Amino acid sequence: MTSGAIGLDLAEVSKANAPQLTDVPAAPGIINEKNAKTLIIPEASSPSVSDTKGSYGNEDGKEYPTEDEVESLRRVCGTVPWSSYTIAFVELCERFSYYGTTIVFVNFIQHPLPPGSTTGEAGTDGQAGALGLGQRASTALTTFNSMWAYCMPLLGAYMADQYWGRYKTIQVSIAIAILGHIILIVATIPSVIAHPNGAVAAFSVGLVIFGVGVGGFKPNISPLIAEQYEAEHPKQYIQVQKSGERTIVDPTMTVSRIYMYFYMMINIGALAGQIGMVYAEKYVGFWLSFVLPTVMFLLCPIVMFLMRKKYARRPPTGSVTAKAFKLWVLAMKGRWSLNPVTTAKNMRADDFWDNVKPSRFGQHKPAWMTFDDVWVDEVRRGLKACTVFLWYPLYWLSYNQITNNLVSQAATMELHGAPNDLITNINPIALVIFIPLTDMFFYPGLERMGFRFTPIKRIATGFAMGSAAMIAACVLQYYIYKLGDCGDHPASEDCESPAPINVWVQTIPYLLISFSEIFASITGLEYAFTKAPKNMRSFVTAIFLFMSSISFAVGQAFVSLSADPLLVWNYGTIAVLAALGGVGVWLAHRKLDKQEDKLNFIPESSFKGRRLSYGGHAA
């Protein structure tokens, strides 16, 4: 846990919205090699700005909300810039390639070549396969891939924040991932498959390189898409609706919308990749199910290159991660105790961070302290976000059931001609449908009712929905055991008849998981972006992603429960853990929830690299 409340009242929030004497980049297309100009926004004390009783005015034509308006006016989303949609398309292509490739891993590793096949294709009634290494090997390699892909974002974030910046790191990561894709394709060539030891070696090397590329891509594409809007509209401003209603265009709400549609594009890509490549492996061979995702992935560097002069980019600042750690170590000086409760209490002291602000040291500050007081507040805010993320492994435990145990559960029910691994696609389909509905109707409806559905509330709700999904799966498993002819061993080889329950009943847990993602997963990405120091956004996003890797490790403790006749206990235990996680998020961070506006409108630190740029040109 971190220190106490940030001392920023509503008047200061309003002041943070007011024009500051700062350099703000012009819109994309204005700044280029021939015309490198910036817009200088006047201070609030200039003649064009009214007093604090009225809204702040500004040369750029925007009107900024006052303290009273921040409290009373309804908030709306701004317009998402078109450059953000191109980044979302890049993410769609990357997720198509990732899920399209990984969806066939199990069959490629576990099952042997079908009779008469050299590519792994099996036709309508056969089982696609290649290496024939069995379930244990397939489980080990696919679990390694999942954990590796969510560990590597820490490295990708470090390189972006400290050395390369997000854009360059993404492009380098794409190149590495393409190399991984090519090696995976080599492993599926018929002449290589004919020698399983060589094929599994090539596959393993490709998997490692592929994971490094994915890890460098994931923590950087997410902040980049939201920075396109922030570059144009960093502060709240007043917008008069056609009805005459005065509203506040809230950058935080707009970022939330951006991440909603970003997540929708993820699921469109995943859905298309998964369905398409399953048929490719079954009717043509594994080589096609690896080649097509690679071809789709090749669109990523092309789009990024064509848009290179249009994207707003934040250059790297340098050793920000090391300085943030040194800052925390300095703040902890004299606060350690053998009693962990006392240590935690000392960390939450109101002066925990104030005592290490550079202004407190004057001319005697350490040489590494090259930042300002505001950056200390940003680090404190980012660390608070990371403490929220520490609860996420409990949520991901429930989510991860849709990739393994729920698929196995479907196989014990009446399928009516549907493959048991087809039902899992309810999840991305539901997200594609309900994300726009949530954005256009649910969230605005709550805002019109005067209810602020803030991030901590949404995250806690997401945990609750994940718990509800596991309760539904638990009840369903109970009735599979009760109604089936095979009792509590419906998955045994001796069981010849499924439980008399239609497999589409699984729609209930899958829909609940989908709603939980909207509230917990999407909000987590948003929270990482809005709360991180602006020069550490990749790193804080990587911490959020790393929680999924921890969840995979924790999930190994549930392997003994993931088989008959203990599956009811498996789902029930995970339901309880997800519920406790949701309660824990709310109880531990409800005070943080009340500081949402204060946290979002800390003035930007002057500690950064070159100024925000378009196309690599300093703005």
Side-chain angles (χ1 to χ4, degrees):
M1 303 298 291
T2 56
S3 70
I6 290 179
L8 194 69
D9 60 22
L10 282 173
E12 291 174 289
V13 171
S14 178
K15 187 176 180 181
N17 283 322
Q20 309 284 322
L21 185 56
T22 55
D23 290 341
V24 176
I30 294 178
I31 296 174
N32 52 44
E33 296 178 4
K34 297 181 180 179
N35 182 22
K37 297 181 179 179
T38 58
L39 301 176
I40 306 298
I41 299 179
E43 289 184 340
S45 58
S46 68
S48 63
V49 178
S50 63
D51 60 31
T52 58
K53 297 299 182 182
S55 299
Y56 294 102
N58 180 33
E59 284 182 0
D60 64 4
K62 287 190 175 71
E63 184 182 0
Y64 295 90
T66 64
E67 175 184 349
D68 292 337
E69 288 172 329
V70 168
E71 278 279 86
S72 60
L73 294 185
R74 181 169 68 91
R75 302 185 185 194
V76 298
C77 294
T79 302
V80 179
W82 71 275
S83 57
S84 290
Y85 290 105
T86 66
I87 296 173
F89 176 74
V90 169
E91 175 69 3
L92 182 153
C93 296
E94 190 274 338
R95 290 292 88 183
F96 180 103
S97 74
Y98 179 82
Y99 283 105
T101 301
T102 59
I103 190 67
V104 301
F105 278 0
V106 171
N107 286 344
F108 179 77
I109 301 166
Q110 179 174 342
H111 300 289
L113 279 171
S117 174
T118 60
T119 63
E121 57 85 19
T124 303
D125 300 320
Q127 172 62 57
L131 303 183
L133 299 179
Q135 184 174 354
R136 182 173 295 178
S138 71
T139 300
L141 285 171
T142 54
T143 300
F144 167 78
N145 174 66
S146 298
M147 294 182 65
W148 182 246
Y150 283 101
C151 285
M152 283 297 98
L154 294 173
L155 175 61
Y158 176 79
M159 297 304 296
D161 286 340
Q162 184 144 333
Y163 297 110
W164 291 343
R166 275 180 271 283
Y167 179 85
K168 182 177 179 180
T169 304
I170 290 170
Q171 290 289 60
V172 170
S173 300
I174 288 173
I176 294 172
I178 289 173
L179 176 61
H181 271 292
I182 292 172
I183 297 175
L184 289 173
I185 292 172
V186 170
T188 66
I189 296 173
S191 59
V192 177
I193 291 178
H195 302 84
N197 290 337
V200 75
F203 180 83
S204 299
V205 172
L207 206 64
V208 171
I209 297 174
F210 180 59
V212 173
V214 170
F217 184 93
K218 288 180 71 67
N220 292 300
I221 198 73
S222 171
L224 183 66
I225 191 172
E227 283 178 340
Q228 306 311 303
Y229 178 81
E230 181 193 57
E232 297 181 15
H233 306 289
K235 307 174 190 298
Q236 292 179 338
Y237 63 92
I238 296 293
Q239 183 179 77
V240 180
Q241 303 296 322
K242 293 181 180 179
S243 63
E245 178 190 9
R246 288 171 61 81
T247 58
I248 295 176
V249 177
D250 191 345
T252 305
M253 288 184 65
T254 310
V255 166
S256 179
R257 165 172 286 179
I258 289 171
Y259 279 120
M260 292 275 279
Y261 289 98
F262 177 74
Y263 207 80
M264 186 179 76
M265 297 294 272
I266 287 174
N267 281 274
I268 292 174
L271 180 65
Q274 289 180 160
I275 294 177
M277 297 315 102
V278 165
Y279 282 97
E281 66 156 353
K282 189 171 182 62
Y283 292 103
V284 180
F286 287 100
W287 68 269
L288 183 62
S289 62
F290 283 10
V291 166
L292 290 180
T294 305
V295 172
M296 190 72 169
F297 191 59
L298 289 173
L299 294 176
C300 295
I302 295 173
V303 174
M304 295 289 291
F305 178 78
L306 293 176
M307 290 295 297
R308 67 192 185 282
K309 294 184 179 180
K310 301 295 182 181
Y311 290 148
R313 316 184 209 167
R314 286 187 176 275
T317 303
S319 54
V320 287
T321 306
K323 288 184 179 181
F325 180 73
K326 287 180 180 179
L327 186 67
W328 180 81
V329 170
L330 183 61
M332 285 298 299
K333 189 175 182 180
R335 296 180 186 269
W336 292 102
S337 172
L338 294 177
N339 186 338
V341 176
T342 301
T343 300
K345 183 179 179 181
N346 291 340
M347 291 173 67
R348 290 194 294 265
D350 289 339
D351 62 349
F352 182 85
W353 293 102
D354 290 339
N355 286 340
V356 292
K357 289 184 175 180
S359 60
R360 292 293 183 96
F361 295 90
Q363 296 181 347
H364 303 288
K365 65 181 181 181
W368 54 267
M369 197 173 277
T370 58
F371 44 82
D372 55 17
D373 287 3
V374 178
W375 194 71
V376 178
D377 286 333
E378 288 188 359
V379 171
R380 169 167 54 181
R381 180 182 64 185
L383 194 54
K384 285 177 179 290
C386 291
T387 62
V388 174
F389 299 154
L390 291 176
W391 294 94
Y392 266 83
L394 298 179
Y395 166 74
W396 293 123
L397 280 175
S398 64
Y399 173 81
N400 290 341
Q401 299 304 302
I402 72 174
T403 63
N404 43 56
N405 287 325
L406 284 180
V407 175
S408 299
Q409 184 188 69
T412 65
M413 304 167 70
E414 293 181 344
L415 296 174
H416 299 285
N420 69 302
D421 55 358
L422 177 68
I423 315 303
T424 189
N425 288 300
I426 293 173
N427 173 247
I429 291 172
L431 286 166
V432 170
I433 294 172
F434 288 108
I435 282 176
L437 294 177
T438 302
D439 174 65
M440 291 187 291
F441 300 106
F442 183 67
Y443 285 166
L446 292 177
E447 188 67 27
R448 288 181 183 277
M449 293 166 58
F451 180 74
R452 293 286 312 285
F453 201 25
T454 47
I456 298 298
K457 294 186 182 78
R458 278 182 269 151
I459 292 170
T461 302
F463 276 65
M465 299 293 279
S467 176
M470 291 301 97
I471 292 173
C474 182
V475 171
L476 185 54
Q477 190 67 49
Y478 170 80
Y479 279 102
I480 289 173
Y481 287 162
K482 181 178 180 179
L483 301 178
D485 294 337
C486 303
D488 56 8
H489 285 80
S492 67
E493 294 181 359
D494 298 331
C495 186
E496 298 180 355
S497 59
I501 303 174
N502 192 306
V503 71
W504 293 103
V505 174
Q506 278 195 329
T507 299
I508 297 173
Y510 276 114
L511 284 179
L512 289 170
I513 279 289
S514 300
F515 285 123
S516 78
E517 284 185 81
I518 292 174
F519 297 132
S521 184
I522 297 176
T523 305
L525 290 171
E526 170 197 336
Y527 208 66
F529 178 83
T530 58
K531 301 303 181 288
K534 293 186 178 181
N535 49 13
M536 291 184 66
R537 280 172 170 163
S538 292
F539 182 76
V540 175
T541 300
I543 294 294
F544 171 71
L545 296 171
F546 182 64
M547 294 302 107
S548 185
S549 183
I550 292 176
S551 180
F552 278 112
V554 173
Q556 296 304 304
F558 290 86
V559 169
S560 60
L561 294 179
S562 299
D564 296 326
L566 301 175
L567 283 165
V568 169
W569 285 97
N570 175 74
Y571 295 125
T573 302
I574 293 176
V576 170
L577 290 175
L580 291 175
V583 172
V585 165
W586 178 249
L587 292 180
H589 303 291
R590 64 188 186 279
K591 292 183 179 179
L592 194 63
D593 184 66
K594 296 178 180 178
Q595 302 172 30
E596 182 63 19
D597 278 337
K598 301 176 185 179
L599 293 169
N600 288 338
F601 294 106
I602 294 174
E604 183 173 356
S605 170
S606 61
F607 176 54
K608 46 194 171 185
R610 301 182 305 276
R611 288 174 290 174
L612 184 65
S613 67
Y614 287 94
H617 304 292

